[in-house]
Amino acid sequence: MEDIDAIALLQDPLRRRLYEFVTAQGREVGRNEAAEAAGVARTLAAFHLDKLVDAGLLEAGSRRLTGRSGPGAGRPAKVYRRSAVERGVSVPARDYRTAAGLLAEAAEAAGLDMELQDAARRRGRALRGGGSCGDLDDVAEVLAGRGYEPVRDEGGAVLRMRNCPFHAVAEQFPPLVCGMNLALLEGLVEGSRVRVRMDPRPGWCCVAAESSKNNED
């Protein structure tokens, strides 16, 4: 299915609610849970969830939701999670990913890591809009608007990001792009009581943020 056709499926309000719920969980979601969250019957939720799978927006699997195994554990249930496939639409067609990859390749070959990080810090400062991010809530608000999908972890003390906006290029040039990402967020939190650090985990952005007072305790 073409990207534009797949994304067009999200025009349906119910389908969009189901998609946003599943992707916001950061884990596999069963049909019953998705239906309850969307306020619809399970059969209707299942129909739309499977449409999203057909479009490549979600991936489906199966597992026992009871957490038990063996006799009496019940049949495996169908579960859904965000697809690893990226979808994007530009009219007229643009190819920014190729340009970003070429620029990253040139920067890496020329050893321009520090120059790139300096530029990223300047951009991070600009994201504050002339003000300062006071706490993790302020940082989360800015990052949410940039597509990072921030969530609180460790009892709310740490901010982690479910999505890396630079994922495609980061996969090709991890040290270069992850260093740039860290510097970007360093610029964002500069002058605040928030600190950012590298904390790579599979399926998550490589950077985490936390209040600086947590480091002092």
Side-chain angles (χ1 to χ4, degrees):
M1 179 178 288
E2 295 291 333
D3 285 4
I4 193 168
D5 296 323
I7 293 173
L9 289 177
L10 297 176
Q11 258 191 302
D12 181 275
L14 173 56
R15 214 167 277 166
R16 188 182 183 100
R17 287 205 307 275
L18 288 166
Y19 174 78
E20 290 178 342
F21 175 76
V22 172
T23 58
Q25 305 315 303
R27 56 175 171 79
E28 294 178 328
V29 174
R31 286 173 167 174
N32 287 339
E33 183 183 1
E36 184 177 349
V40 298
R42 180 181 183 277
T43 51
L44 181 59
F47 171 80
H48 287 293
L49 288 167
D50 287 338
K51 285 290 186 183
L52 293 170
V53 172
D54 293 340
L57 295 170
L58 295 179
E59 294 177 356
S62 62
R63 65 178 175 87
R64 289 187 173 91
L65 299 179
T66 61
R68 303 194 304 270
S69 60
R75 297 174 58 188
K78 197 165 188 178
V79 292
Y80 303 85
R81 59 184 177 274
R82 191 213 308 262
S83 172
V85 177
E86 291 186 15
R87 298 285 189 176
V89 175
S90 177
V91 180
R94 299 287 188 258
D95 189 4
Y96 299 114
R97 182 182 297 182
T98 296
L102 290 172
L103 290 169
E105 182 178 354
E108 186 174 77
L112 297 177
D113 301 60
M114 298 307 298
E115 289 82 357
L116 178 60
Q117 290 172 23
D118 288 343
R121 286 190 188 89
R122 291 193 295 272
R123 179 57 62 89
R125 296 181 193 114
L127 292 179
R128 303 195 309 251
S132 175
C133 290
D135 55 24
L136 281 179
D137 289 335
D138 293 337
V139 173
E141 183 177 356
V142 175
L143 294 181
R146 307 296 297 184
Y148 281 87
E149 299 183 10
V151 293
R152 292 294 189 103
D153 196 7
E154 299 180 23
V158 177
L159 194 68
R160 302 191 195 281
M161 280 64 80
R162 278 195 298 261
N163 183 52
C164 172
F166 318 112
H167 176 72
V169 187
E171 281 194 317
Q172 293 180 275
F173 309 95
L176 181 77
V177 178
C178 290
M180 177 200 74
N181 192 24
L182 176 63
L184 178 74
L185 300 192
E186 285 174 344
L188 174 65
V189 304
E190 193 175 87
S192 73
R193 293 186 60 81
V194 177
R195 296 293 177 267
V196 294
R197 55 182 169 82
M198 294 296 294
D199 187 18
R201 299 182 177 205
W204 293 77
C205 175
C206 60
V207 180
E210 61 187 350
S211 175
S212 60
K213 63 184 180 183
N214 292 335
N215 296 327
E216 299 165 3
D217 294 342

